[in-house]
Amino acid sequence: MPRGRTRDQDARQRVLDAAFDLVGSEEYRKVTINDIAASANVAKQTIYRWWPSRTAVVLDALVVGSMKATPFGESGDTRADFRAHLRGVIRVFNSPTGALIRELIAESQSDAAIAEEFRRRFWRPRRELSLAHLHRGIDVGHVRPDIEPEMVLDAIYGPLWLRLTIGHLPLRLKDADDILDAIWPGVAAQR
Amino acid sequence: MPRGRTRDQDARQRVLDAAFDLVGSEEYRKVTINDIAASANVAKQTIYRWWPSRTAVVLDALVVGSMKATPFGESGDTRADFRAHLRGVIRVFNSPTGALIRELIAESQSDAAIAEEFRRRFWRPRRELSLAHLHRGIDVGHVRPDIEPEMVLDAIYGPLWLRLTIGHLPLRLKDADDILDAIWPGVAAQR
Amino acid sequence: MPRGRTRDQDARQRVLDAAFDLVGSEEYRKVTINDIAASANVAKQTIYRWWPSRTAVVLDALVVGSMKATPFGESGDTRADFRAHLRGVIRVFNSPTGALIRELIAESQSDAAIAEEFRRRFWRPRRELSLAHLHRGIDVGHVRPDIEPEMVLDAIYGPLWLRLTIGHLPLRLKDADDILDAIWPGVAAQR
Amino acid sequence: MPRGRTRDQDARQRVLDAAFDLVGSEEYRKVTINDIAASANVAKQTIYRWWPSRTAVVLDALVVGSMKATPFGESGDTRADFRAHLRGVIRVFNSPTGALIRELIAESQSDAAIAEEFRRRFWRPRRELSLAHLHRGIDVGHVRPDIEPEMVLDAIYGPLWLRLTIGHLPLRLKDADDILDAIWPGVAAQR
DNA sequence: TACTAAGCGAGACGGTACGTCAAGTCTTTAA
DNA sequence: TTAAAGACTTGACGTACCGTCTCGCTTAGTA
């Protein structure tokens, strides 16, 4: 048994909640560590004891808060599964969580360590699911076996990320259909 | 004619060059206004006199330095033209210019004004060209007329931007072909 | 005769007036060279062409504007003459001119060249007059011949300068009498 | 007891020492906040946390460093006590401390708040002592009861301050005697 | 009647120092 | 030992003036 005061799990959660709320709020401009600490009623040092940097907190808030988001369905129709998944991702991108993701992408551009951490903890797990589902589509004969799977996924999800980061066009649920209309003919197996 | 000493065009160019070189260099972490000023042999105030922020300088450096980049060819083959253009964009993304674009995307995430400026001065002009070429493809019967053009463009270029900002996979010239292999079947007009 | 456009005497006067007005009126504020130039409708360069520094302008404004101030009377009564002179100095110290003098004393504390210039052009000429009058008082038998004249003058005028620079007590016309009441017994020749 | 890290008294002392040394040194022209911070091995922010301005630091350095300077003796001879005190003040004015005082007088000319602070913390306490001693002189019959005490003090100490700020004449220990020779006849009680 | 040499208002230039802000570390007392 | 509080170092920020340097224009001799 460790001696001394034990870690306050409640404080940890308050930090994550505060980070999520502050970064995810509409009118945020720049959320500082002090803001998070004050909002969580926690000492700055407590944050630094458990996270190496402000961005790490945001990443944790993102990962913890999105853990069960956008699962893949198993309807037996691969295209329909992707459609449902795309709609889930669009919902997430339009929610406060979208702001956290944007924040992390921003930080990733100037910090390779953050970029890698973001990919490792957020991107890859989700990518694996999509990739697995695409392979399953090949196995069941819905998807052409000679495609380049990574590129197909980039083409399917790329428009979402593009609109999230560039903001040149809004992101609506119906866009899921437009994407698949454009992509699926080149992906679907020939009869 | 304005009175007073005229703006020093050489100093302006030195600032843009310095911004381009510093931000575009491999090992940059965070390029400060002081860095740019020192590297350009210019007073900080001179930068602030003409640009509202560091990011505005970077945007200028990007726009000025990329003005004639990646034009569209007119081979008579729409898919081939897009292929050539994609390869041009890939080259740019892998050049120092790619670092400037990443920087601007990063800043755009927390500053709506910068985001709009980036879209207005960099994104839209290029987007218009792609859009025009896609419409030309429809006119000449290479592209299906019932596609959603904006979404098709997002699907074609999305993978490039995705790999630029996320960095989950490298960006090679041959990826242009993979993208079109995945996309074009759904875009090309039926015979 | 020198060729070229001759110095604009009107601009010179506008600068001096502006300096006098700004330094003399603004309650405890720092008047900049730009302020003076703007207020005089003159280019900054025009000021620097003729004066080496802001303080030199203020000194000029002071000297030019005070040239005929506080002359010594010749009533035949040395004490009465000093009384009249003290009252004149008190009036000057309480006028806008007092602010210019304070300004120059301030600058003198950190710039030996300014200090010397201030003494040479403002202080010494006035000091000579007082000294001469004190010597005249000795000659006519009103003042003890064994005093230390410089110190007597410092004791007579010191309280004025002290109250001007420290501001611990106001400076009223009647203070002239109090000073002489305190000093004169040690200065006046014995009967 | 307040929580949190307590103020670093050593850092505070280093700042005051550095300010004293830098401002008091012969060849100083303009001592900046950065100079003081660097010389004290302290962050600029730490200075701004505890002092509102550079001048406030200098005032603190002056007050802390001069606290026990120039006390009044109690020889039983009022004139002799003032002589000793005057000599003490002359020594201070000729020491590095004199440079700090000049600096503060300079700043006082353009900043009413500093002027008041200087009077409150440096001038008045010392003035009170002199005033009390003068009143004691009246009580014991050494000084005429009908003098204007404030003006007498201004006449006694005025020459010192005048020479400190104007610099028209040097300040020597023997000047204490000259001052009293000039003043005392008008101050001393008649036999 | 030109030509030339200043001086002029205007304002951009390279600088220095400012005072503020946030990041991340260190040092207290309290639990 | 951890938590909260808050002082600390560090370093970039954007601003204010400084004193200098062009601009295009005006003014006054000289040719």
PDB file of all heavy atoms in Angstrom, chain C residues 41-60:
ATOM      1  N   ASN C  41       2.680  71.114 -36.077  1.00  0.00           N
ATOM      2  CA  ASN C  41       2.498  70.915 -37.515  1.00  0.00           C
ATOM      3  C   ASN C  41       3.824  70.966 -38.255  1.00  0.00           C
ATOM      4  O   ASN C  41       3.994  71.702 -39.241  1.00  0.00           O
ATOM      5  CB  ASN C  41       1.531  71.944 -38.093  1.00  0.00           C
ATOM      6  CG  ASN C  41       0.138  71.390 -38.182  1.00  0.00           C
ATOM      7  OD1 ASN C  41      -0.061  70.248 -38.582  1.00  0.00           O
ATOM      8  ND2 ASN C  41      -0.834  72.189 -37.773  1.00  0.00           N
ATOM      9  N   VAL C  42       4.718  70.176 -37.767  1.00  0.00           N
ATOM     10  CA  VAL C  42       6.099  70.206 -38.243  1.00  0.00           C
ATOM     11  C   VAL C  42       6.569  68.767 -38.354  1.00  0.00           C
ATOM     12  O   VAL C  42       6.095  67.899 -37.632  1.00  0.00           O
ATOM     13  CB  VAL C  42       6.948  71.009 -37.223  1.00  0.00           C
ATOM     14  CG1 VAL C  42       8.294  70.380 -36.993  1.00  0.00           C
ATOM     15  CG2 VAL C  42       7.068  72.450 -37.649  1.00  0.00           C
ATOM     16  N   ALA C  43       7.458  68.494 -39.262  1.00  0.00           N
ATOM     17  CA  ALA C  43       7.998  67.145 -39.364  1.00  0.00           C
ATOM     18  C   ALA C  43       9.038  66.922 -38.275  1.00  0.00           C
ATOM     19  O   ALA C  43       9.780  67.842 -37.919  1.00  0.00           O
ATOM     20  CB  ALA C  43       8.609  66.904 -40.725  1.00  0.00           C
ATOM     21  N   LYS C  44       9.086  65.692 -37.803  1.00  0.00           N
ATOM     22  CA  LYS C  44      10.052  65.376 -36.752  1.00  0.00           C
ATOM     23  C   LYS C  44      11.462  65.744 -37.191  1.00  0.00           C
ATOM     24  O   LYS C  44      12.274  66.246 -36.404  1.00  0.00           O
ATOM     25  CB  LYS C  44       9.956  63.878 -36.435  1.00  0.00           C
ATOM     26  CG  LYS C  44      10.337  63.541 -35.053  1.00  0.00           C
ATOM     27  CD  LYS C  44       9.918  62.128 -34.631  1.00  0.00           C
ATOM     28  CE  LYS C  44      10.034  61.073 -35.704  1.00  0.00           C
ATOM     29  NZ  LYS C  44      10.171  59.719 -35.103  1.00  0.00           N
ATOM     30  N   GLN C  45      11.738  65.495 -38.463  1.00  0.00           N
ATOM     31  CA  GLN C  45      13.076  65.758 -38.982  1.00  0.00           C
ATOM     32  C   GLN C  45      13.434  67.239 -38.858  1.00  0.00           C
ATOM     33  O   GLN C  45      14.594  67.595 -38.641  1.00  0.00           O
ATOM     34  CB  GLN C  45      13.164  65.320 -40.440  1.00  0.00           C
ATOM     35  CG  GLN C  45      14.524  65.533 -41.068  1.00  0.00           C
ATOM     36  CD  GLN C  45      15.592  64.773 -40.329  1.00  0.00           C
ATOM     37  OE1 GLN C  45      15.476  63.594 -40.085  1.00  0.00           O
ATOM     38  NE2 GLN C  45      16.669  65.469 -39.939  1.00  0.00           N
ATOM     39  N   THR C  46      12.452  68.067 -39.011  1.00  0.00           N
ATOM     40  CA  THR C  46      12.699  69.508 -38.898  1.00  0.00           C
ATOM     41  C   THR C  46      13.165  69.860 -37.495  1.00  0.00           C
ATOM     42  O   THR C  46      14.017  70.732 -37.301  1.00  0.00           O
ATOM     43  CB  THR C  46      11.420  70.282 -39.254  1.00  0.00           C
ATOM     44  OG1 THR C  46      11.066  69.977 -40.603  1.00  0.00           O
ATOM     45  CG2 THR C  46      11.644  71.773 -39.128  1.00  0.00           C
ATOM     46  N   ILE C  47      12.593  69.174 -36.521  1.00  0.00           N
ATOM     47  CA  ILE C  47      13.053  69.406 -35.156  1.00  0.00           C
ATOM     48  C   ILE C  47      14.494  68.935 -35.011  1.00  0.00           C
ATOM     49  O   ILE C  47      15.353  69.659 -34.493  1.00  0.00           O
ATOM     50  CB  ILE C  47      12.143  68.685 -34.146  1.00  0.00           C
ATOM     51  CG1 ILE C  47      10.729  69.285 -34.209  1.00  0.00           C
ATOM     52  CG2 ILE C  47      12.714  68.791 -32.751  1.00  0.00           C
ATOM     53  CD1 ILE C  47       9.753  68.667 -33.234  1.00  0.00           C
ATOM     54  N   TYR C  48      14.760  67.727 -35.478  1.00  0.00           N
ATOM     55  CA  TYR C  48      16.113  67.187 -35.299  1.00  0.00           C
ATOM     56  C   TYR C  48      17.144  67.946 -36.127  1.00  0.00           C
ATOM     57  O   TYR C  48      18.339  67.843 -35.867  1.00  0.00           O
ATOM     58  CB  TYR C  48      16.131  65.705 -35.656  1.00  0.00           C
ATOM     59  CG  TYR C  48      15.612  64.852 -34.531  1.00  0.00           C
ATOM     60  CD1 TYR C  48      14.393  64.202 -34.630  1.00  0.00           C
ATOM     61  CD2 TYR C  48      16.332  64.718 -33.351  1.00  0.00           C
ATOM     62  CE1 TYR C  48      13.897  63.428 -33.602  1.00  0.00           C
ATOM     63  CE2 TYR C  48      15.847  63.944 -32.309  1.00  0.00           C
ATOM     64  CZ  TYR C  48      14.627  63.304 -32.443  1.00  0.00           C
ATOM     65  OH  TYR C  48      14.135  62.547 -31.408  1.00  0.00           O
ATOM     66  N   ARG C  49      16.694  68.660 -37.155  1.00  0.00           N
ATOM     67  CA  ARG C  49      17.656  69.421 -37.946  1.00  0.00           C
ATOM     68  C   ARG C  49      18.222  70.569 -37.131  1.00  0.00           C
ATOM     69  O   ARG C  49      19.359  70.980 -37.318  1.00  0.00           O
ATOM     70  CB  ARG C  49      16.987  69.946 -39.215  1.00  0.00           C
ATOM     71  CG  ARG C  49      17.979  70.187 -40.359  1.00  0.00           C
ATOM     72  CD  ARG C  49      17.354  70.874 -41.552  1.00  0.00           C
ATOM     73  NE  ARG C  49      15.967  70.497 -41.840  1.00  0.00           N
ATOM     74  CZ  ARG C  49      15.602  69.484 -42.596  1.00  0.00           C
ATOM     75  NH1 ARG C  49      16.524  68.719 -43.152  1.00  0.00           N
ATOM     76  NH2 ARG C  49      14.336  69.228 -42.816  1.00  0.00           N
ATOM     77  N   TRP C  50      17.416  71.058 -36.201  1.00  0.00           N
ATOM     78  CA  TRP C  50      17.833  72.288 -35.508  1.00  0.00           C
ATOM     79  C   TRP C  50      18.110  72.099 -34.028  1.00  0.00           C
ATOM     80  O   TRP C  50      18.723  72.965 -33.410  1.00  0.00           O
ATOM     81  CB  TRP C  50      16.767  73.370 -35.701  1.00  0.00           C
ATOM     82  CG  TRP C  50      16.501  73.649 -37.152  1.00  0.00           C
ATOM     83  CD1 TRP C  50      15.387  73.319 -37.866  1.00  0.00           C
ATOM     84  CD2 TRP C  50      17.388  74.279 -38.081  1.00  0.00           C
ATOM     85  NE1 TRP C  50      15.512  73.716 -39.167  1.00  0.00           N
ATOM     86  CE2 TRP C  50      16.737  74.311 -39.326  1.00  0.00           C
ATOM     87  CE3 TRP C  50      18.678  74.820 -37.985  1.00  0.00           C
ATOM     88  CZ2 TRP C  50      17.317  74.858 -40.476  1.00  0.00           C
ATOM     89  CZ3 TRP C  50      19.245  75.373 -39.124  1.00  0.00           C
ATOM     90  CH2 TRP C  50      18.578  75.391 -40.349  1.00  0.00           C
ATOM     91  N   TRP C  51      17.601  71.044 -33.475  1.00  0.00           N
ATOM     92  CA  TRP C  51      17.876  70.786 -32.062  1.00  0.00           C
ATOM     93  C   TRP C  51      18.371  69.351 -31.910  1.00  0.00           C
ATOM     94  O   TRP C  51      17.850  68.443 -32.582  1.00  0.00           O
ATOM     95  CB  TRP C  51      16.602  70.953 -31.234  1.00  0.00           C
ATOM     96  CG  TRP C  51      16.091  72.364 -31.139  1.00  0.00           C
ATOM     97  CD1 TRP C  51      16.489  73.323 -30.256  1.00  0.00           C
ATOM     98  CD2 TRP C  51      15.046  72.956 -31.925  1.00  0.00           C
ATOM     99  NE1 TRP C  51      15.773  74.476 -30.452  1.00  0.00           N
ATOM    100  CE2 TRP C  51      14.875  74.283 -31.473  1.00  0.00           C
ATOM    101  CE3 TRP C  51      14.245  72.512 -32.972  1.00  0.00           C
ATOM    102  CZ2 TRP C  51      13.947  75.159 -32.019  1.00  0.00           C
ATOM    103  CZ3 TRP C  51      13.312  73.379 -33.519  1.00  0.00           C
ATOM    104  CH2 TRP C  51      13.163  74.686 -33.060  1.00  0.00           C
ATOM    105  N   PRO C  52      19.311  69.130 -31.063  1.00  0.00           N
ATOM    106  CA  PRO C  52      19.864  67.775 -30.935  1.00  0.00           C
ATOM    107  C   PRO C  52      18.944  66.816 -30.188  1.00  0.00           C
ATOM    108  O   PRO C  52      19.102  65.609 -30.301  1.00  0.00           O
ATOM    109  CB  PRO C  52      21.163  67.992 -30.153  1.00  0.00           C
ATOM    110  CG  PRO C  52      20.930  69.249 -29.403  1.00  0.00           C
ATOM    111  CD  PRO C  52      20.030  70.105 -30.243  1.00  0.00           C
ATOM    112  N   SER C  53      18.022  67.334 -29.414  1.00  0.00           N
ATOM    113  CA  SER C  53      17.185  66.450 -28.616  1.00  0.00           C
ATOM    114  C   SER C  53      15.944  67.195 -28.169  1.00  0.00           C
ATOM    115  O   SER C  53      15.869  68.432 -28.260  1.00  0.00           O
ATOM    116  CB  SER C  53      17.933  65.954 -27.378  1.00  0.00           C
ATOM    117  OG  SER C  53      18.131  67.029 -26.488  1.00  0.00           O
ATOM    118  N   ARG C  54      15.001  66.423 -27.709  1.00  0.00           N
ATOM    119  CA  ARG C  54      13.768  66.993 -27.193  1.00  0.00           C
ATOM    120  C   ARG C  54      14.065  68.006 -26.088  1.00  0.00           C
ATOM    121  O   ARG C  54      13.454  69.087 -26.022  1.00  0.00           O
ATOM    122  CB  ARG C  54      12.910  65.859 -26.613  1.00  0.00           C
ATOM    123  CG  ARG C  54      11.499  66.230 -26.221  1.00  0.00           C
ATOM    124  CD  ARG C  54      10.863  65.052 -25.509  1.00  0.00           C
ATOM    125  NE  ARG C  54      11.521  64.852 -24.234  1.00  0.00           N
ATOM    126  CZ  ARG C  54      11.094  65.370 -23.097  1.00  0.00           C
ATOM    127  NH1 ARG C  54       9.998  66.088 -23.070  1.00  0.00           N
ATOM    128  NH2 ARG C  54      11.748  65.162 -21.974  1.00  0.00           N
ATOM    129  N   THR C  55      15.001  67.640 -25.209  1.00  0.00           N
ATOM    130  CA  THR C  55      15.283  68.512 -24.082  1.00  0.00           C
ATOM    131  C   THR C  55      15.869  69.837 -24.536  1.00  0.00           C
ATOM    132  O   THR C  55      15.627  70.878 -23.911  1.00  0.00           O
ATOM    133  CB  THR C  55      16.251  67.798 -23.122  1.00  0.00           C
ATOM    134  OG1 THR C  55      15.786  66.479 -22.909  1.00  0.00           O
ATOM    135  CG2 THR C  55      16.331  68.536 -21.818  1.00  0.00           C
ATOM    136  N   ALA C  56      16.643  69.792 -25.615  1.00  0.00           N
ATOM    137  CA  ALA C  56      17.205  71.035 -26.138  1.00  0.00           C
ATOM    138  C   ALA C  56      16.093  71.971 -26.593  1.00  0.00           C
ATOM    139  O   ALA C  56      16.191  73.195 -26.438  1.00  0.00           O
ATOM    140  CB  ALA C  56      18.150  70.732 -27.297  1.00  0.00           C
ATOM    141  N   VAL C  57      15.035  71.404 -27.140  1.00  0.00           N
ATOM    142  CA  VAL C  57      13.885  72.224 -27.535  1.00  0.00           C
ATOM    143  C   VAL C  57      13.266  72.871 -26.312  1.00  0.00           C
ATOM    144  O   VAL C  57      12.982  74.076 -26.304  1.00  0.00           O
ATOM    145  CB  VAL C  57      12.834  71.369 -28.268  1.00  0.00           C
ATOM    146  CG1 VAL C  57      11.623  72.213 -28.631  1.00  0.00           C
ATOM    147  CG2 VAL C  57      13.430  70.723 -29.506  1.00  0.00           C
ATOM    148  N   VAL C  58      13.082  72.058 -25.291  1.00  0.00           N
ATOM    149  CA  VAL C  58      12.462  72.581 -24.073  1.00  0.00           C
ATOM    150  C   VAL C  58      13.330  73.684 -23.474  1.00  0.00           C
ATOM    151  O   VAL C  58      12.824  74.729 -23.043  1.00  0.00           O
ATOM    152  CB  VAL C  58      12.253  71.451 -23.049  1.00  0.00           C
ATOM    153  CG1 VAL C  58      11.678  72.004 -21.753  1.00  0.00           C
ATOM    154  CG2 VAL C  58      11.325  70.387 -23.632  1.00  0.00           C
ATOM    155  N   LEU C  59      14.633  73.449 -23.482  1.00  0.00           N
ATOM    156  CA  LEU C  59      15.537  74.466 -22.941  1.00  0.00           C
ATOM    157  C   LEU C  59      15.421  75.762 -23.746  1.00  0.00           C
ATOM    158  O   LEU C  59      15.356  76.860 -23.176  1.00  0.00           O
ATOM    159  CB  LEU C  59      16.976  73.944 -22.961  1.00  0.00           C
ATOM    160  CG  LEU C  59      18.060  74.900 -22.457  1.00  0.00           C
ATOM    161  CD1 LEU C  59      17.723  75.409 -21.063  1.00  0.00           C
ATOM    162  CD2 LEU C  59      19.412  74.220 -22.447  1.00  0.00           C
ATOM    163  N   ASP C  60      15.394  75.613 -25.053  1.00  0.00           N
ATOM    164  CA  ASP C  60      15.223  76.798 -25.905  1.00  0.00           C
ATOM    165  C   ASP C  60      13.901  77.496 -25.603  1.00  0.00           C
ATOM    166  O   ASP C  60      13.854  78.725 -25.477  1.00  0.00           O
ATOM    167  CB  ASP C  60      15.243  76.388 -27.383  1.00  0.00           C
ATOM    168  CG  ASP C  60      16.516  76.834 -28.060  1.00  0.00           C
ATOM    169  OD1 ASP C  60      17.532  76.994 -27.346  1.00  0.00           O
ATOM    170  OD2 ASP C  60      16.515  77.038 -29.285  1.00  0.00           O
TER     171      ASP C  60
END
